[in-house]
Amino acid sequence: MTLTLKAHRDEIGLKDGQLLVAGTWRAAADGATWTHQHPATGEAIGEFPVATVSDVDAAVRAARTAFDEGPWPHARAGERIRLLHRYAESLRQHADELRALQALDNGIPLSFGGIYAPSVDCAADVFDHHAGWVDKVGGQTLPPYQGGDHLAMTFREPIGVVAAILPWNAPFLLFAQKVAPALAAGCTIVLKPSEYCTFSVLRQVELLLEAGLPDGVINVVTGPGDPTGEALITHPLVDKISFTGSRAVGKRIVEASAGTLKRVSLELGGKSPTLVFPDAPDVGLAAMTTMGTVTMGLSGQACVAHTRALVHRDVYDQFLGAAEMLAGMITYGDPFEASVLASPLINTRQLERVLGFIERAQEGGARLVTGGTRPDGDLAAGNFVRPTVFADVDNGMEIAREEVFGPVLAVVPFTDEDEAVRLANDTEYGLGAGVYTTDARRAFRLARRLRAGTIGINGFQIEPHLPFGGFKQSGLGREGGQSAFEAYTELKTVLMPLTDEMM
Ligand code: NAD
């Protein structure tokens, strides 16, 4: 029987989405809508508006008014802190509902809910974490450098109107990583969810309003990159763009921001390496963990998936055997089934793209160990691709250089530590890297030599208080921790003479 998710949709009672402008939910000015087709079945699941240029303008102006005239940027620290904690608690209480909405959005299985980083629990922790900065990050009082006696102080002030643009693959964590520090700092927001993951984001916004956020502090424009996203990134009244998504759109945002010199933070893609040495604590486990990042839950559609395994020749076959074994254990299908472990690819364009990478890797001489095909039968209408492992990959091949964003692991052999470092750093990206070794000195040597934002030694995790972001073309700036909060502020210097003498 062909897979269908309509019964889940009806049970959840999914409503069509709306835009949020100045506290009012409404349709697009021209009534245009986007139909969400589920990636596991191709079924039409629901609709939401495609915000036009005039809708985006209205949303930005609402955020501008809320910033220039509203209470939020001047709210007492205690008020902001209480709201952020209240919302974190509300997220925890609505975790099951949000996970179900996500399964209807992007097909990520409920079974993945226990993995910390993309979970509702982690998102709630991010709000609690940023609530903690509100009354702890301030300016400085500095001594006079020369001249008469004077006061010199710095203040941290909210940066203004933030355009927050989300990808589709981690709607809880990424919503929190942008909205929490922006609200904590006193900014107002125009949020654009991905057109491939809208319903779970709209519900998070509803909960924020229920927690007591004043009207206009968060506004939502739904729709695709063109026209909705373009209208947002080119709007002159936006002060900062905070974007997570592909490198190509990140570059477009840098261009578009130049007109009014908007502040920009970018969390982009990766081609993160895992380096496995013969003295790894457990080579089989290292292989299964690495393969897990390119299969479990998101089917490799994760920025930090370790898609390039650099494996010492002495343990190369052992690594390949364990990776192949894990590939064989991955199950697909109805994301609401507890036994289903991985998602489909997000849309048919991405399906074709991934199949293209697989075909060209084979033509280029990479050895297909497992996968490379699509399941048929009742899963034929979904965008599923079997977990795929390529061995004997040369680091110059496309499969070792491009972000595939699918369940594909490229395994490259190496002979010694210097070669491993050279291969690992030979990439345009720099988001993450993993090292498997029991030699502590080697671990720290490599942690210093690898050019990436987060280095995992015998394990990898994203946590709310840790800076996360990329070197090189993996991004600009960091999310998580104090530096993320500060990225939503401007530093202002205030001077005042204390005597009649000039400064
Ligand atoms: P995408 O770049 O296609 O889309 C991201 C968002 O940008 C969507 O909301 C989309 O509608 C919008 N957009 C597209 N064109 C636009 C334009 N011209 N102007 C303004 N907005 C526009 O990315 P995606 O497919 O949704 O997500 C996958 C990508 O995100 C991957 O490259 C992945 O590595 C990256 N990602 C990075 C991180 C990180 O923290 N570094 C986390 C998750 C995903």
Side-chain angles (χ1 to χ4, degrees):
M1 199 183 73
T2 306
L3 181 63
T4 170
L5 297 175
K6 288 197 165 157
H8 293 296
R9 180 197 60 186
D10 296 344
E11 193 184 327
I12 291 164
L14 186 75
K15 297 188 303 268
D16 284 345
Q18 292 187 302
L19 312 177
L20 177 67
V21 179
T24 302
W25 294 98
R26 64 164 177 80
D30 63 1
T33 55
W34 176 280
T35 300
H36 174 53
Q37 285 181 302
H38 199 278
T41 64
E43 294 168 296
I45 290 291
E47 293 192 347
F48 49 83
V50 172
T52 62
V53 172
S54 78
D55 293 317
V56 172
D57 182 56
V60 173
R61 285 179 191 281
R64 189 80 256 166
T65 303
F67 187 79
D68 293 340
E69 297 166 27
W72 188 251
H74 312 288
R76 294 288 167 257
E79 188 184 333
R80 277 191 219 149
I81 291 168
R82 279 191 295 278
L83 184 133
L84 294 171
H85 284 314
R86 199 157 57 238
Y87 178 62
E89 213 32 59
S90 165
L91 279 180
R92 293 186 183 99
Q93 283 163 11
H94 290 85
D96 289 344
E97 179 195 350
L98 288 167
R99 272 197 290 271
L101 284 170
Q102 176 181 232
L104 284 182
D105 268 333
N106 59 18
I108 292 180
L110 297 187
S111 67
F112 201 51
I115 304 294
Y116 181 66
S119 72
V120 177
D121 278 347
C122 177
D125 291 346
V126 170
F127 275 91
D128 278 338
H129 168 75
H130 281 293
W133 291 120
V134 178
D135 62 347
K136 292 175 194 67
V137 177
Q140 293 173 299
T141 309
L142 297 161
Y145 199 89
Q146 49 83 56
D149 201 10
H150 59 273
L151 269 185
M153 300 175 273
T154 61
F155 289 82
R156 285 226 169 251
E157 301 204 341
I159 210 164
V161 173
V162 174
I165 303 177
L166 304 181
W168 61 267
N169 65 341
F172 309 131
L173 174 68
L174 301 176
F175 178 94
Q177 295 277 51
K178 294 182 173 7
V179 172
L183 292 182
C187 298
T188 61
I189 301 169
V190 180
L191 179 78
K192 194 193 96 55
S194 164
E195 62 275 33
Y196 298 105
C197 187
T198 291
F199 296 107
S200 53
V201 173
L202 292 178
R203 185 67 182 128
Q204 291 176 85
V205 174
E206 265 178 8
L207 295 176
L208 204 39
L209 300 187
E210 285 171 20
L213 194 68
D215 287 351
V217 176
I218 190 161
N219 305 272
V220 184
V221 291
T222 56
D226 188 16
T228 311
E230 276 290 325
L232 188 54
I233 62 175
T234 51
H235 201 294
L237 298 182
V238 167
D239 296 302
K240 174 183 169 104
I241 303 173
S242 176
F243 172 77
T244 300
S246 61
R247 176 172 65 167
V249 176
K251 289 183 179 179
R252 167 68 196 127
I253 285 173
V254 171
E255 270 172 19
S257 66
T260 52
L261 280 180
K262 297 178 190 359
R263 280 64 179 135
V264 173
S265 351
L266 303 175
E267 291 289 343
L268 308 177
K271 191 73 193 178
S272 300
T274 286
L275 284 63
V276 182
F277 289 85
D279 64 354
D282 182 333
V283 171
L285 195 60
M288 305 244 275
T289 308
T290 306
M291 194 60 194
T293 72
V294 297
T295 54
M296 309 282 279
L298 291 153
S299 286
Q301 299 167 102
C303 57
V304 284
H306 286 181
T307 53
R308 214 160 40 107
L310 309 178
V311 184
H312 194 280
R313 290 183 189 278
D314 288 355
V315 290
Y316 188 69
D317 290 337
Q318 189 187 350
F319 181 96
L320 286 176
E324 185 180 0
M325 189 175 79
L326 186 88
M329 291 159 64
I330 300 299
T331 46
Y332 294 99
D334 178 345
F336 291 85
E337 281 291 327
S339 59
V340 166
L341 296 178
S343 68
L345 300 180
I346 191 64
N347 52 38
T348 49
R349 184 167 41 98
Q350 183 59 12
L351 174 68
E352 293 308 320
R353 196 172 160 269
V354 170
L355 293 173
F357 277 121
I358 291 173
E359 196 181 319
R360 289 190 297 279
Q362 285 174 279
E363 286 165 5
R367 173 162 63 91
L368 182 67
V369 176
T370 185
T373 55
R374 302 184 53 203
D376 47 20
D378 62 347
L379 298 184
N383 309 323
F384 296 102
V385 172
R386 291 204 173 85
T388 302
V389 178
F390 280 109
D392 307 345
V393 173
D394 182 285
N395 203 53
M397 288 178 182
E398 180 193 60
I399 201 73
R401 304 202 75 76
E402 295 295 325
E403 184 185 48
V404 174
F405 230 53
V408 182
L409 181 68
V411 187
V412 182
F414 71 82
T415 307
D416 62 32
E417 189 179 309
D418 283 340
E419 186 189 12
V421 171
R422 189 176 49 72
L423 291 169
N425 288 337
D426 179 17
T427 168
E428 292 172 342
Y429 291 106
L431 195 55
V435 177
Y436 287 90
T437 179
T438 43
D439 178 340
R441 292 205 294 180
R442 171 168 25 222
F444 281 103
R445 246 184 348 255
L446 290 177
R448 299 300 301 271
R449 293 179 74 190
L450 294 173
R451 306 256 311 142
T454 302
I455 313 289
I457 297 168
N458 301 325
F460 196 91
Q461 181 63 287
I462 295 174
E463 293 184 294
H465 63 310
L466 300 179
F468 177 79
F471 281 36
K472 301 194 261 183
Q473 295 186 37
S474 286
L476 286 180
R478 296 290 181 269
E479 294 193 321
Q482 181 173 349
S483 55
F485 175 84
E486 288 178 353
Y488 289 86
T489 66
E490 289 277 14
L491 202 53
K492 180 184 278 177
T493 303
V494 175
L495 290 153
M496 187 175 81
L498 296 177
T499 65
D500 290 339
E501 206 179 334
M502 295 290 284
M503 279 192 278

